[in-house]
Amino acid sequence: MAGIWRDFVVAVLTAFRHRDEAIAEERRRAVERLAEETIREARRAEDPPE
């Protein structure tokens, strides 16, 4: 449990120190998630269940 809190604190401190980099990384991850979800939805629409 202590490891989780340590990782959380490190992440928060890193975000404050490298705010621009952290924001850019989070935006990149959000775009990737959106793209993956869009692709999944498109595949579901193309391939109806049998």
Side-chain angles (χ1 to χ4, degrees), residues 17-48:
R17 277 189 264 146
H18 303 287
R19 197 171 291 176
D20 293 336
E21 292 173 17
I23 291 171
E25 180 66 20
E26 183 57 33
R27 285 182 184 156
R28 184 190 63 74
R29 279 188 250 134
V31 169
E32 284 181 358
R33 285 191 301 265
L34 178 61
E36 289 170 1
E37 183 61 28
T38 302
I39 289 168
R40 267 190 244 118
E41 288 177 4
R43 286 183 180 159
R44 271 188 243 135
E46 291 173 2
D47 299 329

Side-chain angles (χ1 to χ4, degrees), residues 1-9:
M1 186 72 165
I4 294 171
W5 283 107
R6 184 193 66 220
D7 293 345
F8 174 76
V9 170

